């Protein structure tokens, strides 16, 4: 594990297997320096268990950075369940996963990620209290996606102001790759603000539904990143921006919800050389963890959660301005700041 791609001084990695339900999963705790390691659970079909481990390691490290930058008293962790799962066993499988989360006694707190629903988390909640994204009591928590989409909207507004000098989104052209839970909600918000949308998704039914609801224009999967737009919002899976796709972008801004949008640091360099503003993924997509974090930690109100999500906008404005002033890539500046916050908390502990 210590030589594994993605390993970054993680505190622990737990492999889980439950023969009765077919559950196979990995829980990676990157850091609990700032608080319980919190991050969603992804259900995905991996070609090999090693790929699942790499994903869990990378995503949990990303959660540490995300939670630190969002100012949350939470560390970073992530779980991945190796799909496919037997639908007939789904409830029991998530209960088994919940038992494994409980075994970690609160060092890891789970919630939804790609492939996992609120109903799945309700199954987890039957076996552990270290779970969030289950109930939206008083408007706090539940499905994190609308909060994530709201934060991405705030980030787009800040990036548009910074890069294009515009304070409104009317007529702004935005290409959204992936119109699932977050991308779909984002399209709704953008359409309300008068933006013109271009969308693509592997799920034709979902794509049609979002086009009907928002007036978006659907394009082929291969065309969405190179669309003639102002903003590209990657909202599908990670790695959308490679050096090649970065070279072909026509947008001036990349700002979306997907985790790990840059396939590698070289992709970020290409964006920077081309004068394209990249809004670091884990800074812009923190709305969901802010909401489910408040649900888990308690004490928040709907108004305070929405205010914390809206604070993503000014945070990004400051980050982009500082990156310009320092002649630094925003993603490098964000990483350095987040790592500093975590290192300070580690020392204090
Ligand atoms: P989702 O599974 O609901 O949506 C993803 C969508 O992308 C699906 O509609 C899928 O059909 C589509 N898709 C998959 N491959 C594609 C491709 N190659 N081209 C175009 N579309 C493709 O997932 P969700 O929850 O909307 O998350 C989207 C992204 O945002 C993920 O990367 C996730 O990790 C990230 N994220 C989600 C958060 C949340 O609150 N749900 C919070 C923070 C990050």
């Amino acid at each position: 594990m210590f030589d594994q791609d993605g390993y970054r001084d993680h505190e622990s990695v737990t492999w889980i297997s439950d023969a009765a339900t077919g559950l196979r999963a990995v829980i990676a705790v990157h850091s609990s320096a700032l608080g319980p390691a919190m991050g969603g659970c992804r259900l995905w079909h991996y070609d090999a268990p090693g790929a699942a481990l790499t994903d869990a390691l990378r995503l949990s490290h990303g959660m540490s950075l995300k939670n630190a930058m969002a100012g949350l008293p939470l560390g970073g962790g992530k779980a991945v369940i190796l799909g496919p799962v037997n639908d007939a066993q789904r409830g029991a499988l998530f209960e088994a996963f919940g038992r494994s989360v409980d075994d970690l006694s609160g060092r890891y707190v789970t919630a939804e990620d790609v492939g996992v629903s609120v109903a799945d988390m309700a199954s987890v909640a039957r076996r552990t209290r270290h779970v969030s994204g289950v109930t939206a009591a008083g408007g706090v928590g539940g499905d994190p996606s609308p909060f994530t989409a709201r934060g991405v909207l705030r980030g787009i507004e800040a990036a548009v102001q910074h890069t294009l000098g515009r304070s409104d989104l009317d007529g702004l052209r935005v290409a959204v790759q992936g119109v699932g839970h977050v991308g779909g909600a984002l399209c709704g918000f953008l359409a309300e603000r008068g933006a013109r949308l271009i969308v693509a998704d592997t799920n034709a039914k979902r794509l049609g539904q979002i086009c009907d609801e928002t007036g978006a224009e659907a394009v082929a999967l291969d065309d969405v990143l190179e669309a003639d737009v102002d903003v590209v919002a990657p909202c599908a899976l990670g790695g959308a921006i490679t050096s090649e796709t970065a070279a072909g972008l026509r947008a001036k801004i990349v700002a979306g919800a997907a985790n790990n949008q840059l396939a590698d640091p070289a992709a970020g360099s290409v964006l920077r050389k081309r004068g394209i503003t990249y809004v670091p993924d884990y800074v812009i997509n923190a709305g969901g963890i802010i909401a489910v974090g408040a649900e888990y930690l308690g004490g928040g109100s709907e108004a305070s959660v929405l205010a914390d999500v809206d604070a993503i906008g000014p945070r990004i404005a400051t980050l982009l301005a500082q990156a310009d002033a320092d002649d630094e890539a925003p993603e490098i500046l964000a990483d350095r700041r987040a790592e500093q916050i975590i290192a300070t908390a580690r020392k204090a502990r």
Side-chain angles (χ1 to χ4, degrees):
M1 182 189 107
F2 301 111
D3 298 325
Q4 179 79 25
D5 195 13
Y7 177 71
R8 299 281 295 270
D9 289 328
H10 284 66
E11 290 177 11
S12 71
V13 174
T14 310
W15 284 98
I16 297 152
S17 155
D18 179 66
T21 59
L23 170 70
R24 293 192 306 155
V26 184
I27 299 176
V29 170
H30 171 257
S31 167
S32 57
L34 285 164
M38 187 162 182
C41 168
R42 175 171 293 191
L43 170 56
W44 194 248
H45 181 78
Y46 295 94
D47 292 338
L53 175 59
T54 300
D55 213 20
L57 291 171
R58 282 198 187 140
L59 290 165
S60 57
H61 177 237
M63 288 309 302
S64 286
L65 302 179
K66 183 187 302 196
N67 294 343
M69 276 302 270
L72 297 170
L74 295 167
K78 199 90 181 182
V80 301
I81 293 178
L82 286 73
V85 304
N86 178 349
D87 276 347
Q89 290 275 17
R90 194 167 175 117
L93 181 139
F94 274 95
E95 284 196 34
F97 173 70
R99 278 197 302 273
S100 300
V101 170
D102 205 55
D103 286 343
L104 295 174
S105 308
R107 286 193 59 244
Y108 169 66
V109 183
T110 198
E112 296 87 351
D113 191 54
V114 174
V116 172
S117 67
V118 174
D120 296 327
M121 283 301 123
S123 299
V124 173
R126 281 197 274 280
R127 299 294 169 190
T128 183
R129 64 187 176 85
H130 304 300
V131 54
S132 198
V134 185
T135 44
V140 178
D143 178 6
S145 313
F147 297 95
T148 304
R150 182 176 172 124
V152 173
L153 175 73
R154 297 291 175 242
I156 290 176
E157 287 169 344
V160 165
Q161 176 73 56
H162 172 89
T163 309
L164 307 175
R166 291 182 49 172
S167 56
D168 69 286
L169 305 184
D170 197 27
L172 188 85
R173 295 159 306 157
V174 185
V176 182
Q177 181 196 43
V179 291
H181 288 94
V182 181
L186 177 65
C187 286
F189 290 145
L190 288 167
E192 274 170 20
R193 306 288 301 277
R196 283 161 44 205
L197 300 170
I198 287 180
V199 292
D201 197 294
T202 45
N203 180 335
K205 192 171 161 216
R206 174 77 179 167
L207 187 64
Q209 182 198 337
I210 296 298
C211 288
D212 289 348
E213 285 172 14
T214 65
E217 178 195 341
V219 295
L221 293 173
D222 288 344
D223 296 338
V224 69
L225 294 177
E226 293 189 7
D228 185 12
V229 291
D230 303 298
V231 180
V232 159
C235 295
L237 292 176
I241 309 296
T242 62
S243 295
E244 290 71 36
T245 53
L249 286 180
R250 291 204 265 173
K252 296 301 282 177
I253 296 166
V254 175
N259 284 311
N260 302 326
Q261 284 168 42
L262 299 178
D264 51 37
S269 303
V270 176
L271 292 180
R272 198 163 140 70
K273 274 195 202 117
R274 296 196 57 220
I276 298 169
T277 301
Y278 171 65
V279 181
D281 43 19
Y282 62 80
V283 186
I284 194 171
N285 72 13
I289 195 75
I290 290 170
V292 296
E295 178 186 336
Y296 181 71
L297 296 166
S301 65
E302 182 175 13
S304 68
V305 169
L306 293 180
D308 288 347
V309 173
D310 289 345
I312 289 172
R315 186 174 300 127
I316 285 169
T318 307
L319 181 72
L320 296 178
Q322 190 65 49
D324 277 0
D326 295 355
D327 195 18
E328 182 85 277
E331 67 273 20
I332 293 174
L333 187 60
D335 279 5
R336 195 181 310 128
R337 279 202 190 156
E339 298 283 10
Q340 266 166 7
I341 295 168
I342 297 163
T344 305
R346 266 192 183 140
K347 264 193 208 140
R349 204 169 54 156

